[in-house]
Amino acid sequence: MKNRISILLALAMLLSLAAPVVAEEPGYQRYDETVVLTTVKRTDPNAQFPEGDSLDNNVMTRYIKDKINVETKTVWEVDGTEFINKLSLDIVAGTLPDMFSLNNDDYLVYRQLLDNGLLADLTDAYEDNANWYLRDTAASFEGRHFAPYTDNGRLMGIPTGRYGYEHNQLWLRTDILDAIGMKAEEVQTIADIEAYLTKAKEAFPDTVGLALHATDPLANYSVAYSADPIAHVFGATPHYWLEQEDGSITYGSLHPGMKDTLAVLADWYAKGLIDKEFPTRVGGGLTQAVTTSGQATAWFAPWWYGWSIVDLPKNVEGADVAVVNAPVNEAGEFVAPWPSPAGEVLLVSKDCEHPEAVVRVMNLEYDMHRGFDEEAATLYDESRNQNNPTYLDISWGYLFPTSGVNMEYSNVVPTFSHGIHALVDRGSQEGLATPSEVTEAINIGRFIAGEEGYDQYRGSYYSRYVAGEITDAENVKFVYPAYSQTTESMADIVPSLLTLEQQIVLQIILGQKSVDDYDAYVEQWYAEGGQVLLDEISALLGK
């Protein structure tokens, strides 16, 4: 049992991190006349505003208006699946909003906007107004995420770096480990995993073994139930565009190690060590049907998966989880993929009269959301207090006027986790960057200590205290993609190639085809457009 954290210490830490913002600092200048910025949104269907509040009139928009005299007006909002279609109508009609965000997958839309001169040059607006947090988080990516959105040395969008360490890890049941006489740290290699699954099946015959993704069992980065850590042992990196030693570009699913990977999974499936029904478990039902119900004895998932299984101990008495970096290769390395350098990007229309106001709004969004402005943090926390009759139940991204492009540090996952350990285990605030992080760390400590009323932090405990802590372990070796954006032909070619790959992977695992049939898939991949994609990427990278 960890030491309890005193309220006095908690308050001292919060106050030491939350310094009020000085209104006339660069990036915080207040306009004499009200500036109105138009924006568009992806709908949050579950959003609940307090009575009288709305998307354009809430705790955050009022704070922004008070500080810098900027108002925002939401022109339209649609479901995320329809966002690009709706935005395309604005592009054709010449009615783009002042600010809007795109996902990394929408890179060709950005190129279209750029090539048609529809975007504001944000170089000066960013350099003159970005606050310390925007600059610090950007610096943690060493500028890699700025490159795709820089044209002739000018910044044409404000991208988020897609932070790393969201690779899949192996999640095990500690109650089952105890029952079969194994320890989590003993499960290191592919053989160790098989031994665990075998003993678990013998001791608990009604369980289903390893849970697996229904349609894409080797999906790679940040996809729960993807068994890609096994592929990495054999040198394969599914779904990634990689640079080879000779400088040429290849597709990671073409690596010969994919056959070794499929041989392992097919063998486990035949032995009953993999959920026999996994191909039928599509959609969100997999978690409830297999993991939180106690049916699965193991699964691969990223650090954030802890929030998905908070009901496991409620459904199975004594059930709990451990997370390990497994399997490792012969060198003892746990090989993991690194994500694309850029995530979302905030774009500003060339017709926006005050592009610098967009950057100032971003400053204030994070001052409130991360708690850098003590006054704003108090308002925000009170609004999200479930005991408050005017409770604001809304995703932070939907609340942000800029649509919530997520500015985080590249290593935020392990750093935050180490900070939580420092606070809970040693009473130190080292590694905790924001008041909101301190608050979460305190609450996790109270959950660990068994205090009443903190069971809601079980998910945070699993994800941040248990899984996140080992995402940057010394033996973790990262594989970086050579290319992560979209080429001209990808929209036409990738869907059919991905379907082709998923089909052969499933057929081999299920025993419907042999491992050697994968060779025919590789030849077909090249013939049906794969070579076109390789050529396009190589040309874009100057290879």
Side-chain angles (χ1 to χ4, degrees), residues 210-517:
L210 180 71
L212 211 57
H213 195 284
T215 58
D216 203 351
L218 295 172
N220 217 336
Y221 191 72
S222 198
V223 178
Y225 310 115
S226 166
D228 58 275
I230 296 176
H232 300 143
V233 169
F234 296 110
T237 311
H239 299 355
Y240 261 43
W241 302 103
L242 303 169
E243 183 174 344
Q244 303 185 93
E245 290 186 6
D246 64 359
S248 62
I249 301 301
T250 188
Y251 181 55
S253 297
L254 306 181
H255 192 281
M258 285 290 284
K259 293 176 64 175
D260 298 306
T261 303
L262 292 171
V264 169
L265 294 176
D267 180 52
W268 287 1
Y269 185 81
K271 292 176 178 176
L273 304 182
I274 291 177
D275 175 20
K276 285 289 187 180
E277 303 299 323
F278 85 86
T280 68
R281 302 189 194 276
V282 296
L286 174 59
T287 298
Q288 183 175 357
V290 179
T291 52
T292 59
S293 69
Q295 289 296 299
T297 58
W299 56 88
F300 291 103
W303 70 276
W304 46 255
Y305 187 81
W307 284 286
S308 300
I309 53 167
V310 293
D311 289 337
L312 174 60
K314 300 177 185 177
N315 296 332
V316 183
E317 185 176 356
D320 212 342
V321 296
V323 183
V324 294
N325 289 334
V328 298
N329 60 21
E330 292 181 352
E333 299 167 330
F334 180 67
V335 181
W338 192 261
S340 60
E344 297 170 302
V345 61
L346 179 66
L347 301 176
V348 178
S349 166
K350 69 174 180 60
D351 296 325
C352 178
E353 186 177 355
H354 291 282
E356 79 288 342
V358 175
V359 183
R360 295 179 190 180
V361 167
M362 292 185 78
N363 293 339
L364 293 173
E365 288 172 337
Y366 283 98
D367 283 344
M368 172 171 271
H369 181 56
R370 299 298 187 206
F372 301 127
D373 183 329
E374 185 181 348
E375 174 192 357
T378 300
L379 292 171
Y380 187 64
D381 290 343
E382 288 178 352
S383 73
R384 298 180 70 82
N385 184 343
Q386 295 185 36
N387 297 319
N388 189 327
T390 58
Y391 174 52
L392 173 67
D393 187 7
I394 183 174
S395 63
W396 67 268
Y398 187 58
L399 180 65
F400 276 30
T402 62
S403 299
V405 287
N406 191 16
M407 298 295 181
E408 287 280 13
Y409 290 95
S410 173
N411 61 349
V412 63
V413 172
T415 300
F416 189 8
S417 293
H418 299 331
I420 293 171
H421 273 266
L423 183 59
V424 173
D425 302 344
R426 302 186 298 278
S428 167
Q429 72 179 72
E430 179 183 359
L432 296 173
T434 69
S436 61
E437 289 184 356
V438 173
T439 299
E440 187 168 359
I442 291 169
N443 291 330
I444 290 172
R446 286 170 168 161
F447 165 77
I448 294 172
E451 293 188 26
E452 292 187 11
Y454 289 90
D455 193 60
Q456 61 183 301
Y457 290 94
R458 181 182 300 277
S460 295
Y461 164 74
Y462 285 153
S463 288
R464 298 203 185 278
Y465 190 86
V466 177
E469 174 72 3
I470 61 172
T471 53
D472 68 342
E474 290 185 5
N475 70 328
V476 179
K477 178 184 178 182
F478 290 105
V479 177
Y480 297 89
Y483 186 78
S484 306
Q485 276 71 52
T486 308
T487 70
E488 183 178 350
S489 301
M490 279 187 177
D492 295 326
I493 297 176
V494 167
S496 60
L497 289 183
L498 183 59
T499 298
L500 186 67
E501 181 176 341
Q502 291 171 339
Q503 287 176 344
I504 189 64
V505 165
L506 283 170
Q507 289 169 338
I508 293 175
I509 293 174
L510 297 177
Q512 297 169 356
K513 287 192 174 183
S514 73
V515 170
D516 289 335
D517 287 324

Side-chain angles (χ1 to χ4, degrees), residues 125-146:
Y126 184 86
E127 285 300 320
D128 295 341
N129 292 275
N131 70 359
W132 69 271
Y133 182 72
L134 299 190
R135 295 177 190 275
D136 271 12
T137 52
S140 73
F141 293 89
E142 300 177 347
R144 292 188 301 270
H145 62 310
F146 277 7

